[in-house]
Amino acid sequence: MVPLEHVIGLSAILFTIGVIGVATRRNLIIVMMSIELMLNAVNLSFVAFSRFLHSLDGQVFVFFVMTVAAAEVAVGLAIIIALFRNVETVYVDELHLLKG
Amino acid sequence: MSVVAFLFYLLGALAVLSALGMVMNVRNTVAAALSLVVTMISLAAIYVLMEAHLVAVIQIMVYAGAIVVLFLFVVMLLNLREDAFAPGRQWLVKSGAALVGLLVGAQLVRLLSSPLPAPPALPAGFGGYRMLGLSLYTDYVLLVEMASLVLLASIVGALILAKRKVD
């Protein structure tokens, strides 16, 4: 059987890769995909603790994390489409209209 | 090493490699989305190893089957050219990533050096649809209703934001 620390370590590694993706990539779509990767890493943490503490509450929470992630992706991609229609770019370097 | 442990390390390595392939892939956005699919499917297989069967199936249906498909729709709709790191920022990106990797690595070494005791066996039907469905519809029924409201709000919001002209 896999020790709990190894599963949490894998979740931490995936979360870190997601954070690096959000912080360093220019393409907004890749940034949103890195956010999904972070949410998946957190889901793995919940499932691991649910298995090791014999409680279904972790898996119930995973359901709601998936729901919110799906809703957020839909709205975020709609925002990107509306943005692209006006500014014709999805690269964060070229989006500075709100800058003071 | 048992079969479960061997499969977990194999799938974990596959998940990490495809996650790196998604984040480090600079040229091709569609290939990055497909790497994300590989990550999500390997995570679904790890959920099966963790006795979370319903969550694993829902993961493949919702994440790999709907969310990444939505990403691919938008990528092909916008017809994006290839990406690149901003000029003059390469060293900052690489040193920042190395620093974050070192910090997480130090925490992992400290975490893995103090093991926890092994848990007892699970009850039958744990993580199956029956127990999870009972829990959702008795203890957490209000959260299920609120989740439906969140989805309704996101449907309306996405429709209005992506419309061509509001008249």
Side-chain angles (χ1 to χ4, degrees):
Chain A
M1 194 57 239
V2 186
L4 174 65
E5 308 85 54
H6 293 194
V7 190
I8 302 301
L10 173 66
S11 169
I13 292 174
L14 286 174
F15 193 86
T16 309
I17 295 175
V19 168
I20 292 177
V22 168
T24 61
R25 293 298 297 262
R26 289 175 69 213
N27 195 339
L28 265 177
I29 297 188
I30 303 283
V31 167
M32 288 206 62
M33 286 203 273
S34 304
I35 295 176
E36 292 307 308
L37 183 62
M38 287 199 283
L39 287 169
N40 269 301
V42 167
N43 281 351
L44 178 63
S45 260
F46 273 119
V47 167
F49 276 117
S50 152
R51 191 239 178 275
F52 280 90
L53 297 177
H54 289 211
S55 162
L56 273 180
D57 294 348
Q59 298 183 19
V60 168
F61 210 90
V62 167
F63 258 93
F64 294 116
V65 171
M66 283 187 194
T67 305
V68 170
E72 158 225 334
V73 161
V75 175
L77 288 176
I79 290 178
I80 290 180
I81 290 178
L83 180 76
F84 190 81
R85 202 174 287 140
N86 288 325
V87 192
E88 207 65 35
T89 181
V90 290
Y91 298 111
V92 295
D93 287 355
E94 305 164 18
L95 301 170
H96 48 73
L97 288 173
L98 282 178
K99 196 169 170 182
Chain B
M1 199 190 300
S2 67
V3 177
V4 172
F6 172 72
L7 278 176
F8 171 76
Y9 293 124
L10 186 70
L11 290 165
L14 178 65
V16 169
L17 282 175
S18 47
L20 280 172
M22 190 266 291
V23 168
M24 299 294 157
N25 191 330
V26 190
R27 283 170 303 153
N28 194 348
T29 314
V30 176
L34 293 176
S35 287
L36 189 65
V37 172
V38 173
T39 303
M40 287 173 174
I41 292 182
S42 58
L43 276 177
I46 292 178
Y47 293 163
V48 172
L49 290 176
M50 296 277 129
E51 312 278 341
H53 304 288
L54 185 62
V55 168
V57 171
I58 302 280
Q59 159 101 356
I60 292 188
M61 274 174 22
V62 169
Y63 267 119
I67 291 184
V68 178
V69 169
L70 201 57
F71 274 119
L72 284 173
F73 277 165
V74 172
V75 167
M76 287 188 255
L77 193 68
L78 300 184
N79 203 13
L80 301 163
R81 65 184 191 278
E82 58 187 46
D83 196 6
F85 289 121
R89 216 193 275 181
Q90 297 274 351
W91 69 269
L92 183 64
V93 165
K94 287 175 182 158
S95 60
L99 181 65
V100 170
L102 274 176
L103 284 173
V104 174
Q107 291 292 335
L108 279 177
V109 165
R110 203 181 64 166
L111 171 72
L112 292 175
S113 61
S114 54
L116 294 166
L122 283 170
F126 187 81
Y129 61 92
R130 185 175 297 274
M131 281 183 73
L132 206 52
L134 277 173
S135 178
L136 271 174
Y137 282 101
T138 54
D139 292 330
Y140 297 106
V141 61
L142 287 177
L143 284 177
V144 171
E145 301 303 323
M146 281 201 289
S148 76
L149 286 177
V150 166
L151 285 173
L152 176 68
S154 80
I155 288 174
V156 173
L159 273 174
I160 291 185
L161 282 169
K163 266 185 66 143
R164 187 164 288 282
K165 186 172 60 174
V166 177
D167 46 1

